[in-house]
Amino acid sequence: MGRGRVQLKRIENKINRQVTFSKRRSGLLKKAHEISVLCDAQVALMVFSSKGKLFEYATESCMERILERYERYSFTEIQCATDEIQQNGNWTWEHAKLKARMETLQRNLRINLWLNQFLSFRKRTKNCKNRITYLQRRRRRKLMWSRHIGS
Amino acid sequence: MGRGRVQLKRIENKINRQVTFSKRRSGLLKKAHEISVLCDAQVALMVFSSKGKLFEYATESCMERILERYERYSFTEIQCATDEIQQNGNWTWEHAKLKARMETLQRNLRINLWLNQFLSFRKRTKNCKNRITYLQRRRRRKLMWSRHIGS
DNA sequence: TAGCCTATGTATAACCT
DNA sequence: TAGGTTATACATAGGCT
């Protein structure tokens, strides 16, 4: 598009690549939005630049719900695949695929576990801080009380 | 595009909507692929039709890795947000956002746990079946051996 | 449902600011 | 780095099969 045909290969000039990325990214997000509105579809789009910056679009700006839907979909797929394996005993064929998927899900689970640990750690830290503040306050109160009595 | 300008609103005619969806979907996937190649970007795209069918594109056809990256990114975001909360104590402002994110992640965790339980159940079932087959075979061997001795 | 055709609207490459 | 301009290439609406 534009002046001259484009070869479908990495743009070597860094500046051109950055400019093209910026322009095409906005085009892509626009098109994603259009199809979601025109055709009543749910769309989730994630774009990581080569520098690792994230740009995202999601229908009704609810990425989580769509990702969850994707996971459910994948889950159902695995269930079907496994049922198939059970039925026709074609274990070796689906094995690699299933194994790969499982590993990914276990990785995700690990990440989620991290997150939970992290959050509970934060919570504990916060509680701890609150506790300290409470104790300090109580001590101060006591001190003031004793002074009050003393006076 | 094409003959006549398009209003950005849901196409009411069901057949037109389906046709447009099909055409625009392929266009969107193509553009996603192009930006990923030209600009060295990682792209993950999920499109659910109004009927609930999933179409997806991912750079190097590895959706899992990109989703994982997204999760890591979100994780870092939460970490930053939480750090911010810790620093300036602006708890109430970020609380709702954080809580929503957490709920989603807990839901995802639950799904992952289900999946693991499901898969280990399948494995046990399979092991159990193998055990039965093994016992049947041993019994048969024994029987044949006793017949062999008897003859 | 998918594929081809063609007029037309859009996106965008190269360039400039 | 972002925003504006313009010539082109591309995408696609509506029609037909």
Side-chain angles (χ1 to χ4, degrees), chain B residues 38-90:
Chain B
L38 290 170
C39 308
D40 197 22
Q42 273 199 299
V43 181
L45 174 62
M46 283 155 267
V47 185
F48 287 94
S49 75
S50 54
K51 283 178 191 165
K53 196 170 175 185
L54 172 64
F55 303 86
E56 54 180 310
Y57 168 81
T59 306
E60 295 154 18
S61 36
C62 185
M63 184 63 87
E64 280 80 11
R65 216 181 305 163
I66 297 173
L67 288 184
E68 205 201 333
R69 190 170 177 185
Y70 180 78
E71 280 197 335
R72 263 209 309 277
Y73 201 97
S74 305
F75 179 80
T76 312
E77 251 186 2
I78 291 175
Q79 199 158 21
C80 292
T82 317
D83 284 348
E84 231 173 58
I85 291 162
Q86 290 273 320
Q87 278 167 21
N88 61 22
N90 191 359

Coordinates of all heavy atoms in Angstrom, one line a residue, chain B residues 38-90:
Chain B
L38 N 6.7 -7.7 9.1 CA 7.4 -6.5 8.7 C 8.1 -5.8 9.9 O 9.2 -5.3 9.7 CB 6.3 -5.5 8.1 CG 5.7 -5.9 6.8 CD1 4.5 -4.9 6.5 CD2 6.8 -5.8 5.7
C39 N 7.4 -5.8 11.0 CA 7.9 -4.9 12.1 C 8.5 -5.7 13.3 O 8.7 -5.2 14.4 CB 6.7 -4.0 12.6 SG 6.0 -3.1 11.3
D40 N 8.6 -7.1 13.0 CA 9.2 -7.9 14.0 C 8.5 -7.9 15.4 O 9.1 -7.8 16.4 CB 10.7 -7.4 14.2 CG 11.6 -8.5 14.9 OD1 11.2 -9.7 14.8 OD2 12.6 -8.1 15.4
A41 N 7.2 -7.9 15.3 CA 6.3 -7.8 16.5 C 5.7 -9.2 16.8 O 5.6 -10.0 15.9 CB 5.3 -6.8 16.3
Q42 N 5.3 -9.4 18.0 CA 4.6 -10.6 18.4 C 3.1 -10.2 18.5 O 2.7 -9.3 19.2 CB 5.1 -11.1 19.7 CG 6.3 -12.1 19.5 CD 6.5 -12.9 20.7 OE1 6.7 -12.4 21.8 NE2 6.4 -14.2 20.6
V43 N 2.3 -11.0 17.8 CA 0.9 -10.7 17.8 C 0.1 -11.9 18.2 O 0.4 -13.0 17.7 CB 0.5 -10.3 16.4 CG1 -1.0 -10.0 16.3 CG2 1.3 -9.1 15.9
A44 N -0.9 -11.7 19.0 CA -1.9 -12.8 19.3 C -3.3 -12.2 19.0 O -3.6 -11.1 19.5 CB -1.8 -13.2 20.7
L45 N -4.1 -12.9 18.3 CA -5.4 -12.4 17.9 C -6.4 -13.5 18.1 O -6.2 -14.6 17.5 CB -5.4 -11.9 16.4 CG -6.7 -11.5 15.8 CD1 -7.3 -10.3 16.5 CD2 -6.4 -11.2 14.3
M46 N -7.5 -13.2 18.8 CA -8.6 -14.2 18.9 C -9.9 -13.5 18.5 O -10.2 -12.4 18.9 CB -8.7 -14.6 20.4 CG -7.7 -15.6 20.9 SD -7.5 -15.4 22.6 CE -6.2 -14.3 22.7
V47 N -10.6 -14.2 17.6 CA -11.9 -13.7 17.2 C -13.0 -14.7 17.4 O -12.8 -15.9 16.9 CB -11.9 -13.3 15.7 CG1 -13.2 -12.7 15.3 CG2 -10.7 -12.4 15.4
F48 N -14.0 -14.4 18.2 CA -15.1 -15.3 18.3 C -16.2 -14.7 17.5 O -16.6 -13.6 17.6 CB -15.6 -15.3 19.8 CG -14.7 -16.1 20.7 CD1 -13.6 -15.4 21.4 CD2 -14.8 -17.4 20.8 CE1 -12.8 -16.1 22.2 CE2 -13.9 -18.2 21.6 CZ -12.9 -17.5 22.4
S49 N -16.8 -15.5 16.6 CA -18.0 -15.1 15.8 C -19.2 -15.0 16.8 O -19.1 -15.5 17.9 CB -18.2 -16.1 14.7 OG -18.8 -17.3 15.3
S50 N -20.2 -14.4 16.3 CA -21.4 -14.3 17.1 C -22.0 -15.7 17.4 O -22.7 -15.8 18.4 CB -22.5 -13.4 16.4 OG -22.8 -13.9 15.1
K51 N -21.7 -16.7 16.6 CA -22.1 -18.0 16.9 C -21.2 -18.8 17.9 O -21.4 -19.9 18.2 CB -22.2 -18.9 15.6 CG -23.4 -18.5 14.8 CD -23.4 -19.4 13.5 CE -24.4 -18.9 12.5 NZ -24.2 -19.5 11.2
G52 N -20.1 -18.1 18.3 CA -19.2 -18.7 19.3 C -18.0 -19.5 18.7 O -17.3 -20.1 19.4
K53 N -17.9 -19.4 17.4 CA -16.7 -20.2 16.8 C -15.5 -19.3 16.9 O -15.5 -18.1 16.8 CB -17.0 -20.4 15.3 CG -16.1 -21.5 14.7 CD -16.6 -21.9 13.3 CE -15.6 -22.9 12.7 NZ -16.0 -23.2 11.3
L54 N -14.3 -20.0 17.2 CA -13.1 -19.3 17.4 C -12.2 -19.3 16.2 O -12.0 -20.4 15.6 CB -12.3 -20.0 18.6 CG -10.9 -19.5 18.9 CD1 -10.9 -18.0 19.3 CD2 -10.3 -20.3 19.9
F55 N -11.6 -18.2 15.9 CA -10.6 -18.1 14.9 C -9.4 -17.4 15.5 O -9.6 -16.4 16.2 CB -11.1 -17.2 13.7 CG -12.3 -17.8 13.0 CD1 -13.6 -17.4 13.5 CD2 -12.2 -18.7 12.0 CE1 -14.7 -18.0 13.0 CE2 -13.4 -19.2 11.4 CZ -14.6 -18.8 11.9
E56 N -8.2 -17.9 15.3 CA -7.1 -17.3 16.0 C -5.9 -17.2 15.1 O -5.7 -17.9 14.2 CB -6.7 -18.1 17.3 CG -6.5 -19.6 17.0 CD -6.1 -20.3 18.3 OE1 -5.2 -19.9 19.0 OE2 -6.7 -21.4 18.5
Y57 N -5.1 -16.2 15.5 CA -3.8 -16.1 14.8 C -2.7 -15.7 15.9 O -3.0 -15.0 16.8 CB -3.7 -14.9 13.8 CG -2.3 -14.6 13.3 CD1 -1.7 -15.4 12.4 CD2 -1.6 -13.6 13.9 CE1 -0.4 -15.1 12.0 CE2 -0.3 -13.3 13.5 CZ 0.3 -14.1 12.6 OH 1.6 -13.8 12.2
A58 N -1.6 -16.3 15.8 CA -0.5 -16.0 16.7 C 0.8 -16.1 16.0 O 1.1 -17.0 15.2 CB -0.5 -16.9 17.9
T59 N 1.7 -15.1 16.2 CA 3.0 -15.1 15.6 C 3.7 -16.4 15.9 O 3.7 -16.9 17.1 CB 3.9 -14.0 16.3 OG1 3.2 -12.8 16.1 CG2 5.2 -13.9 15.6
E60 N 4.3 -17.0 14.9 CA 5.0 -18.3 15.0 C 4.1 -19.4 15.6 O 4.5 -20.3 16.2 CB 6.2 -18.2 16.0 CG 7.3 -17.3 15.4 CD 8.2 -16.7 16.5 OE1 8.1 -17.3 17.6 OE2 8.9 -15.7 16.3
S61 N 2.8 -19.2 15.3 CA 1.7 -20.1 15.7 C 2.0 -20.6 17.1 O 1.8 -21.8 17.4 CB 1.5 -21.2 14.7 OG 2.6 -21.6 14.1
C62 N 2.3 -19.7 18.0 CA 2.5 -20.2 19.4 C 1.7 -19.3 20.4 O 2.2 -18.4 21.0 CB 3.9 -20.3 19.8 SG 4.1 -21.0 21.5
M63 N 0.4 -19.5 20.4 CA -0.5 -18.7 21.2 C -0.1 -18.7 22.6 O -0.1 -17.7 23.3 CB -2.0 -19.2 21.0 CG -3.0 -18.4 21.7 SD -3.1 -16.7 21.1 CE -4.3 -16.9 19.7
E64 N 0.2 -19.9 23.1 CA 0.5 -20.1 24.5 C 1.6 -19.2 25.0 O 1.5 -18.6 26.1 CB 0.9 -21.6 24.8 CG -0.3 -22.5 24.9 CD -0.8 -22.9 23.5 OE1 -0.1 -22.6 22.5 OE2 -1.9 -23.5 23.5
R65 N 2.7 -19.1 24.2 CA 3.8 -18.3 24.7 C 3.4 -16.9 24.8 O 3.8 -16.2 25.7 CB 5.0 -18.5 23.7 CG 6.3 -18.5 24.4 CD 7.5 -18.6 23.4 NE 7.3 -19.8 22.5 CZ 8.0 -20.0 21.4 NH1 8.8 -19.0 21.0 NH2 7.8 -21.1 20.7
I66 N 2.6 -16.4 23.8 CA 2.2 -15.0 23.8 C 1.2 -14.7 25.0 O 1.4 -13.7 25.6 CB 1.6 -14.6 22.4 CG1 2.7 -14.7 21.4 CG2 1.1 -13.2 22.5 CD1 2.1 -14.6 20.0
L67 N 0.3 -15.6 25.2 CA -0.6 -15.5 26.3 C 0.2 -15.4 27.6 O -0.1 -14.6 28.5 CB -1.6 -16.6 26.4 CG -2.7 -16.6 25.3 CD1 -3.7 -17.7 25.5 CD2 -3.4 -15.2 25.3
E68 N 1.2 -16.3 27.7 CA 2.0 -16.3 28.9 C 2.7 -15.0 29.1 O 2.8 -14.4 30.2 CB 3.1 -17.4 28.8 CG 3.6 -17.9 30.1 CD 4.9 -18.6 29.9 OE1 5.2 -19.1 28.8 OE2 5.7 -18.6 30.9
R69 N 3.2 -14.4 28.0 CA 3.9 -13.1 28.0 C 2.9 -12.1 28.5 O 3.3 -11.2 29.3 CB 4.4 -12.8 26.6 CG 5.3 -11.6 26.6 CD 6.0 -11.4 25.2 NE 6.8 -10.2 25.2 CZ 7.4 -9.8 24.1 NH1 7.3 -10.4 23.0 NH2 8.1 -8.7 24.2
Y70 N 1.7 -12.1 27.9 CA 0.7 -11.2 28.4 C 0.4 -11.3 29.9 O 0.3 -10.3 30.5 CB -0.6 -11.5 27.6 CG -1.8 -10.5 28.0 CD1 -1.8 -9.3 27.5 CD2 -2.7 -10.9 28.9 CE1 -2.8 -8.4 27.8 CE2 -3.7 -10.0 29.2 CZ -3.8 -8.8 28.7 OH -4.7 -7.9 29.1
E71 N 0.4 -12.5 30.4 CA 0.1 -12.7 31.8 C 1.3 -12.1 32.6 O 1.1 -11.5 33.6 CB 0.0 -14.2 32.1 CG -1.4 -14.7 31.8 CD -1.7 -16.0 32.5 OE1 -0.7 -16.8 32.8 OE2 -2.8 -16.3 32.7
R72 N 2.5 -12.4 32.1 CA 3.7 -11.8 32.8 C 3.6 -10.3 32.8 O 3.8 -9.7 33.8 CB 5.0 -12.2 32.0 CG 5.7 -13.4 32.6 CD 7.2 -13.3 32.4 NE 7.5 -13.1 31.0 CZ 7.5 -14.1 30.1 NH1 7.3 -15.3 30.4 NH2 7.9 -13.8 28.8
Y73 N 3.2 -9.7 31.7 CA 3.1 -8.3 31.5 C 2.1 -7.7 32.6 O 2.3 -6.8 33.3 CB 2.6 -7.9 30.1 CG 2.9 -6.5 29.7 CD1 4.1 -6.2 29.0 CD2 2.1 -5.5 30.0 CE1 4.4 -4.9 28.6 CE2 2.4 -4.2 29.6 CZ 3.5 -3.9 28.9 OH 3.8 -2.6 28.5
S74 N 0.9 -8.4 32.6 CA -0.1 -8.0 33.5 C 0.4 -8.1 34.9 O 0.1 -7.3 35.8 CB -1.4 -8.9 33.4 OG -1.8 -8.9 32.0
F75 N 1.1 -9.2 35.2 CA 1.7 -9.5 36.5 C 2.6 -8.3 36.9 O 2.4 -7.7 38.0 CB 2.5 -10.7 36.5 CG 3.2 -11.1 37.7 CD1 2.4 -11.7 38.7 CD2 4.5 -10.8 38.0 CE1 3.0 -12.1 39.9 CE2 5.1 -11.2 39.2 CZ 4.4 -11.8 40.2
T76 N 3.5 -7.9 36.0 CA 4.4 -6.8 36.3 C 3.6 -5.5 36.6 O 3.8 -4.8 37.5 CB 5.3 -6.5 35.1 OG1 5.8 -7.8 34.7 CG2 6.4 -5.6 35.5
E77 N 2.5 -5.3 35.7 CA 1.6 -4.2 35.9 C 1.1 -4.1 37.3 O 1.1 -3.1 38.0 CB 0.5 -4.2 34.9 CG 0.6 -3.2 33.8 CD -0.7 -3.2 33.0 OE1 -1.6 -4.0 33.2 OE2 -0.7 -2.4 32.0
I78 N 0.6 -5.3 37.8 CA 0.0 -5.4 39.1 C 1.0 -5.1 40.1 O 0.8 -4.3 41.1 CB -0.6 -6.8 39.3 CG1 -1.9 -7.0 38.4 CG2 -1.0 -6.9 40.8 CD1 -2.4 -8.4 38.5
Q79 N 2.2 -5.6 39.9 CA 3.3 -5.4 40.9 C 3.6 -3.9 41.0 O 3.6 -3.4 42.1 CB 4.6 -6.1 40.3 CG 5.6 -6.3 41.4 CD 6.5 -7.4 41.1 OE1 6.7 -7.8 39.9 NE2 7.2 -8.0 42.0
C80 N 3.7 -3.2 39.8 CA 3.9 -1.8 39.8 C 2.8 -1.1 40.6 O 3.0 -0.2 41.4 CB 4.0 -1.3 38.4 SG 5.5 -1.8 37.6
A81 N 1.5 -1.4 40.2 CA 0.4 -0.8 40.8 C 0.4 -1.0 42.3 O 0.2 0.0 43.1 CB -0.9 -1.4 40.2
T82 N 0.7 -2.2 42.7 CA 0.7 -2.5 44.2 C 1.8 -1.7 44.9 O 1.7 -1.2 45.9 CB 0.9 -4.0 44.4 OG1 0.1 -4.7 43.5 CG2 0.5 -4.4 45.8
D83 N 3.0 -1.6 44.2 CA 4.1 -0.8 44.7 C 3.6 0.6 44.9 O 3.9 1.2 46.0 CB 5.3 -0.9 43.8 CG 6.1 -2.2 43.9 OD1 5.8 -3.0 44.8 OD2 6.9 -2.5 43.0
E84 N 3.0 1.1 43.9 CA 2.4 2.5 44.0 C 1.5 2.6 45.2 O 1.6 3.6 45.9 CB 1.6 2.7 42.7 CG 2.0 4.0 42.0 CD 1.3 4.1 40.7 OE1 0.0 4.1 40.7 OE2 1.9 4.2 39.6
I85 N 0.6 1.7 45.3 CA -0.3 1.7 46.5 C 0.5 1.8 47.8 O 0.2 2.6 48.6 CB -1.2 0.5 46.5 CG1 -2.2 0.5 45.3 CG2 -2.0 0.4 47.8 CD1 -2.8 -0.8 44.9
Q86 N 1.5 0.9 47.9 CA 2.3 0.9 49.1 C 3.0 2.2 49.3 O 3.1 2.7 50.4 CB 3.4 -0.2 48.9 CG 2.9 -1.6 48.9 CD 2.8 -2.2 50.3 OE1 3.7 -2.0 51.1 NE2 1.7 -2.9 50.6
Q87 N 3.4 2.8 48.2 CA 4.2 4.1 48.3 C 3.3 5.2 48.7 O 3.6 5.9 49.7 CB 4.9 4.4 47.0 CG 6.3 3.6 46.9 CD 6.8 3.7 45.5 OE1 6.5 4.6 44.8 NE2 7.7 2.8 45.2
N88 N 2.3 5.5 47.9 CA 1.5 6.7 48.2 C 0.2 6.4 49.0 O -0.6 7.3 49.2 CB 1.2 7.5 46.9 CG 0.5 6.7 45.9 OD1 -0.2 5.7 46.3 ND2 0.6 7.0 44.7
G89 N 0.0 5.1 49.3 CA -1.2 4.8 50.1 C -2.5 5.1 49.5 O -3.5 5.1 50.1
N90 N -2.5 5.2 48.1 CA -3.7 5.6 47.4 C -4.5 4.3 47.2 O -4.7 3.9 46.0 CB -3.4 6.3 46.1 CG -4.7 6.9 45.5 OD1 -5.8 6.7 46.0 ND2 -4.5 7.5 44.4

